[in-house]
Amino acid sequence: MIITCDSCKTRYKVADDIINKPTFKVRCHKCNYRFIIHKNDPLDDSFLLQDEVSADDHRIIALSNQKGGVAKTTTCLNLAVSLAHMGKKVLVVDFDVQANLTILLGFRQTRSFYELLNKEVKGINDIILHTKYPNLSLLPSNSKMALLKKRYLTQHNFEYLLRNRLQEIEKKYDHILIDTPPSIEFFTLNALIAAKLVIVPTTCEYLSIHGVSQISDIIKVLKGIDHDIEYKVLITMFDARKTSEKVIYEKIRHKYGAMVCKTVIEIDDKMQESHIVNLPILYYDEKSKSAGQYQDLALEITE
Ligand SMILES: Nc1ncnc2c1ncn2[C@@H]1O[C@H](COP(=O)(O)OP(=O)(O)OP(=O)(O)O)[C@@H](O)[C@H]1O
Ligand SMILES: [Mg+2]
């Protein structure tokens, strides 16, 4: 998990199994500040945080949850636009046959990762498109992507295809965000292997906790085979007027503690309007609640 110093905001990586007490006293290696992590009971001595999060840890981010309609694509687009707006160079990868991200960015009938693997183009740069938004590029999807699943799923090491291709270009970008489909198979496994951080968007509905625990279980398995990967749970479309949502929100916070993003994305009609006109929320209504919240999320990811 990632812990941010309350004083100097330095971020550290800490193994999940160390934090098995209700509250956990820690000390920042950089500024010596001591503070408490709320997870489980206090230790006698404060734990010295040393392993700082590097720029590489948050370079490749997958947006994933096998539950459908929880704002994976919305978050991928709007977080990417917010990061790009801050001056970061960003690539979004549409790794979903639905191609919703490609469509939201105004493209249709593009080439995709399929053409790259099928050797119809020379290299990955030939399929990357520059969007109309500054600092934001897209590796698009198309319907042929569906064929990849069939062709490669039984092949040895199929889950490394995306990671291997991104290695050629990853240093050109500050962040690469990968949108995934609502299922855990070829595309999602490739995204999880390529990423160092997984953001798990979830709504506060009854089945949501189940969806989050499924993805966190897979991440534990990946960590078990020495894959350096962290995850953060992002509450989306939160409706504070509903008691049921508040109850589930508290359950998620209790279960995932510091792994839950501080930023909460609330339900916002403006977001739905922005999708109708194919605009990221920041370009549709900069002053809207959700535009501000996605900018807060971008700061939280990079702080
Ligand atoms: N903050 C928000 N307020 C209101 N509506 C939202 C918000 N975020 C997303 N939505 C709406 O929720 C719906 C689902 O969003 P989205 O397509 O991003 O989910 P998804 O998880 O990518 O879905 P899928 O699993 O099908 O890929 C869309 O209609 C979108 O407009
Ligand atoms: Mg989607």
Side-chain angles (χ1 to χ4, degrees):
M1 68 182 287
I2 291 166
I3 291 175
T4 306
C5 171
D6 283 351
S7 174
C8 69
K9 306 293 175 202
T10 304
R11 290 182 305 158
Y12 294 95
K13 289 185 277 186
V14 177
D16 294 346
D17 52 359
I18 290 180
I19 306 198
N20 56 358
K21 316 269 179 166
T23 55
F24 192 81
K25 230 193 274 175
V26 294
R27 181 158 57 89
C28 175
H29 181 247
K30 210 164 213 174
C31 71
N32 227 12
Y33 185 73
R34 286 161 204 259
F35 58 103
I36 290 183
I37 302 292
H38 296 278
K39 179 97 200 258
N40 302 306
D41 19 84
L43 288 184
D44 293 340
D45 291 314
S46 57
F47 178 85
L48 180 62
L49 297 165
Q50 292 190 86
D51 194 8
E52 270 183 55
V53 172
S54 70
D56 261 0
D57 289 321
H58 287 180
R59 192 186 304 275
I60 306 189
I61 305 174
L63 283 301
S64 206
N65 186 338
Q66 68 166 322
K67 196 165 182 302
V70 292
K72 295 180 285 293
T73 306
T74 304
T75 299
C76 189
L77 172 70
N78 290 293
L79 175 58
V81 168
S82 301
L83 287 165
H85 194 66
M86 285 164 59
K88 305 279 183 191
K89 209 161 174 250
V90 184
L91 172 71
V92 282
V93 178
D94 190 347
F95 228 48
D96 183 355
V97 178
Q98 296 181 87
N100 288 344
L101 184 61
T102 303
I103 295 164
L104 280 171
L105 281 166
F107 295 98
R108 275 167 207 271
Q109 293 176 340
T110 59
R111 290 188 287 208
S112 72
F113 199 71
Y114 171 84
E115 282 79 2
L116 178 66
L117 291 189
N118 217 27
K119 298 195 171 60
E120 292 177 32
V121 291
K122 278 199 202 127
I124 191 161
N125 285 312
D126 292 338
I127 54 169
I128 291 177
L129 302 168
H130 296 289
T131 72
K132 56 186 166 193
Y133 308 106
N135 299 326
L136 184 64
S137 303
L138 165 72
L139 196 160
S141 171
N142 63 25
S143 55
K144 287 189 193 158
M145 294 269 285
L147 302 171
L148 293 180
K149 194 157 77 173
K150 211 168 169 197
R151 188 177 301 174
Y152 290 100
L153 201 54
T154 52
Q155 276 196 16
H156 182 57
N157 282 348
F158 75 87
E159 65 275 33
Y160 288 86
L161 288 167
L162 178 63
R163 176 177 168 160
N164 292 343
R165 299 303 171 126
L166 287 181
Q167 263 168 4
E168 295 169 33
I169 53 159
E170 65 183 75
K171 296 282 189 267
K172 280 170 57 178
Y173 300 95
D174 295 306
H175 296 284
I176 299 178
L177 272 59
I178 311 167
D179 188 27
T180 64
S183 55
I184 293 174
E185 30 61 341
F186 178 86
F187 297 106
T188 301
L189 287 173
N190 264 280
L192 295 183
I193 291 288
K196 283 222 173 164
L197 174 68
V198 182
I199 296 181
V200 189
T202 182
T203 51
C204 287
E205 290 168 298
Y206 175 63
L207 286 175
S208 300
I209 301 183
H210 188 60
V212 178
S213 72
Q214 279 171 323
I215 196 106
S216 68
D217 286 349
I218 291 172
I219 290 167
K220 274 182 208 145
V221 172
L222 293 176
K223 281 180 168 226
I225 53 167
D226 258 357
H227 181 47
D228 185 11
I229 187 169
E230 298 292 338
Y231 72 95
K232 283 228 159 218
V233 179
L234 173 70
I235 308 291
T236 56
M237 291 187 258
F238 182 64
D239 189 346
R241 293 165 301 185
K242 291 189 183 159
T243 308
S244 62
E245 294 223 354
K246 285 195 257 184
V247 170
I248 291 175
Y249 174 77
E250 285 310 323
K251 278 193 174 177
I252 293 175
R253 283 216 77 97
H254 181 76
K255 184 163 179 194
Y256 295 99
M259 259 100 91
V260 181
C261 292
K262 289 189 189 115
T263 309
V264 171
I265 311 294
E266 290 177 64
I267 190 121
D268 185 1
D269 287 344
K270 293 279 180 193
M271 182 60 87
Q272 283 169 355
E273 292 167 24
S274 74
H275 281 175
I276 295 167
V277 294
N278 263 12
L279 282 175
I281 190 69
L282 200 57
Y283 287 83
Y284 178 67
D285 186 347
E286 197 182 346
K287 295 201 163 48
S288 64
K289 194 164 59 176
S290 44
Q293 288 163 349
Y294 275 109
Q295 284 177 294
D296 290 345
L297 181 64
L299 283 173
E300 188 176 338
I301 297 299
T302 53
E303 72 184 1

